[in-house]
Amino acid sequence: MSALGSARRRRTTVMLVINLVALLVLGGMGYAGYIALRNYEGATKVGAEFVGLPTTPVGMMGIVDADNRLTSLALFVLRPTQGTDEASVQRGGTIVPVPVTADTTLGVGEQRIPLAGVYAEGGADALVLAVESTLSITLDVATVATPAEAEALLQAVSPIRATFATEVVGRLDGKELSLYDAGENTLSATQAVQVLTATVEGQTDRQRRANVEAVWAAVAAAVGEGVSAVAADAPVASLADLVSKLFAGRVDARVLPADPIDDSAAPEGLDVESIDRAEAIWVLATIAPKSMSAPAPGLVFRIEAPPGYETRVKFAIKALLFLGANVSSVYLQGPVQEATIYLIADPRIAAQAESSNELFGLFELAEPEMPTEGIDVVLQLGTDFLTGEGETLPTTTSTEPA
C-alpha cells in the first residue's frame, strides 16, 4: 500500500462517514430550506447568468527542519483583483498558520493522524491531499520547503519584529539551548525560519504555537503597504509567484485554533489535536470562497451578516455543518434586517421550503435577482437571530414538507 493511496483511502472513509451522519440527521430537521434536500436533485443551474465569486489563489508552504520533520505550515491567500482595468493586479492577502498537529481524520475512524504524521508517512503529495481534505480548501500551488528555501521566500520582508509569548528554545549540535527571549525580537529571514523549525524533546506543538504564529504575524506586518512589484499579467505557477503577489500589498494574519484530543484513538505520546472546523470554515470561507470545497452531501450555503456579530455567525456555521450542509462563502458586510432571509434561486428548493425555522428565528423566503456561483442558498442572517443568545444545536424533530 502506497502512502499516497493510504491517504486517499482515509479521505474517502472520512467523506463516507460524513455522508452517513448527514443522511441520518436529514431524517428529521426543522428549519426552512433544508428539508428540500430530501428531494433535492442536485445543484442544476437555473440560468446562464450568475454572480461570480472572487478568484483568490491559495498556496500552501510547509517547512521542515534539518531532519525532514514538518514543523510549520501556513496557507497564503491572495486578495481579489482590485479594479477592472488592464493594469489591475492581485496584491496582498492573508497568511493563515495551520497547526501541524491538526487531526486529518476529523475524529472519524480508529486512529488519529496529524498533518505532520501524514507528511512523515507519505511526503508532500499526501500532505497536500490531507490539508485540502481537513480544511475543505482547494490549493492552487503548494510546496514543502527546506529551511534554506523558506529563508529565500522571506528575504523580501527581512528584518521582522516578532513578539514572543515565551522563550524560544531549540537544538544545536544535539544540545538544547535558548534561542530568543520572550518579548520583542528583531529577526532576519534566517532567524525567523529558525523559530519556525525550532523544537526540543518533549515539547508539544501547542507549547510552541504562539511563537510560530508571532513570526507569521510579524511577516504580515513587515509587508506594510507592499514590498515587491508584480506585473499585471504575472501568472501564479508556483508558490514563489503567489508570495510575490502577496508581498506586493497589505497582508493580514489569521489563526486556526486547535484543541487537545482526549481520545483512546490517539496513541500515547502522539502530538495530535482537533481542529475547530467551524472556526476554520469561518476564516477560509471569508477570504477564499471560490476555493472552498463542499464535502458534505447537503446544500451549499453563503452566509451574509452585518459586521459586529462574529460569534453568532460562527454558531450559524457550526449549526449548518452539524446538519450536513456546506458553507463555502461568508460575507460580513451584509444587509441589516430583522428577519433572516433565505435567497433561493432553484424553484425546486423554494417550493418545498415550508418547514418552521426555529434555528434562525424570524425568516423569509425570497428569490435572488441573480444566483451566486456555486451557491444553493444565500442566508442573510437577521438581527432576530444575531442578537440572540445561546448555542443550542438544532434537534432532529422535523416538520414534513407540504
Side-chain angles (χ1 to χ4, degrees):
M1 178 189 300
S2 70
L4 184 56
S6 174
R8 285 176 174 151
R9 275 185 280 277
R10 282 197 298 271
R11 182 166 66 170
T12 300
T13 300
V14 169
M15 301 308 301
L16 289 174
V17 173
I18 289 175
N19 290 353
L20 176 59
V21 171
L23 288 174
L24 291 174
V25 171
L26 286 175
M29 60 183 60
Y31 69 89
Y34 205 81
I35 276 189
L37 190 57
R38 291 165 63 100
N39 298 313
Y40 186 57
E41 300 173 13
T44 304
K45 283 189 177 180
V46 183
E49 295 185 342
F50 56 87
V51 177
L53 294 172
T55 298
T56 53
V58 181
M60 181 208 84
M61 180 170 71
I63 304 176
V64 297
D65 63 11
D67 297 321
N68 196 33
R69 295 179 300 183
L70 185 69
T71 58
S72 180
L73 192 150
L75 300 183
F76 303 137
V77 182
L78 293 183
R79 293 190 194 282
T81 300
Q82 302 298 311
T84 57
D85 57 55
E86 292 183 359
S88 65
V89 64
Q90 288 184 294
R91 303 177 189 276
T94 307
I95 299 174
V96 184
V98 179
V100 297
T101 50
D103 176 27
T104 60
T105 72
L106 302 180
V108 177
E110 298 179 354
Q111 56 182 325
R112 303 289 166 259
I113 306 171
L115 288 169
V118 170
Y119 175 74
E121 178 188 351
D125 288 342
L127 178 63
V128 168
L129 288 175
V131 169
E132 291 184 325
S133 177
T134 303
L135 301 179
S136 298
I137 193 80
T138 299
L139 300 174
D140 294 283
V141 290
T143 191
V144 175
T146 64
E149 291 167 338
E151 291 166 18
L153 286 175
L154 297 182
Q155 283 295 342
V157 295
S158 179
I160 66 170
R161 292 179 176 82
T163 301
F164 298 133
T166 60
E167 177 188 31
V168 179
V169 292
R171 295 175 297 166
L172 183 64
D173 297 329
K175 297 180 180 180
E176 295 183 8
L177 71 162
S178 174
L179 300 177
Y180 304 99
D181 293 331
E184 185 173 308
N185 291 264
T186 300
L187 309 174
S188 66
T190 299
Q191 292 170 323
V193 173
Q194 187 180 40
V195 176
L196 294 175
T197 57
T199 60
V200 295
E201 188 71 27
Q203 182 186 51
T204 65
D205 188 69
R206 188 178 186 84
Q207 291 171 329
R208 58 186 291 269
R209 186 171 305 141
N211 290 341
V212 169
E213 292 172 349
V215 168
W216 289 120
V219 168
V223 173
E225 295 302 313
V227 297
S228 61
V230 292
D233 58 351
V236 179
S238 67
L239 186 71
D241 294 335
L242 190 148
V243 170
S244 178
K245 288 177 178 281
L246 182 75
F247 289 171
R250 183 173 57 84
V251 176
D252 299 319
R254 306 282 293 270
V255 299
L256 300 182
D259 299 312
I261 293 178
D262 181 15
D263 193 327
S264 59
E268 184 177 355
L270 180 65
D271 193 8
V272 60
E273 299 174 272
S274 174
I275 198 82
D276 187 330
R277 188 160 174 258
E279 183 80 22
I281 296 295
W282 148 265
V283 171
L284 297 175
T286 302
I287 60 177
K290 196 169 185 176
S291 296
M292 298 299 291
S293 58
L299 301 179
V300 180
F301 281 75
R302 169 182 167 92
I303 295 178
E304 296 183 354
Y309 298 100
E310 286 81 0
T311 298
R312 296 296 282 168
V313 172
K314 291 177 186 179
F315 171 60
I317 295 172
K318 182 178 180 180
L320 290 173
L321 295 179
F322 173 79
L323 290 168
N326 303 279
V327 178
S328 291
S329 177
V330 176
Y331 179 66
L332 300 177
Q333 298 295 325
V336 179
Q337 75 271 325
E338 183 180 16
T340 291
I341 299 176
Y342 290 79
L343 296 175
I344 304 173
D346 191 329
R348 294 169 300 173
I349 300 174
Q352 299 177 56
E354 298 174 354
S355 64
S356 63
N357 179 357
E358 297 179 356
L359 178 58
F360 295 121
L362 295 175
F363 74 96
E364 299 174 7
L365 303 180
E367 184 176 345
E369 294 183 6
M370 195 177 295
T372 302
E373 175 186 10
I375 301 296
D376 297 313
V377 181
V378 176
L379 188 67
Q380 295 181 336
L381 296 174
T383 54
D384 182 63
F385 166 76
L386 292 171
T387 58
E389 297 179 354
E391 294 192 357
T392 302
L393 289 172
T395 67
T396 56
T397 301
S398 69
T399 300
E400 292 298 323

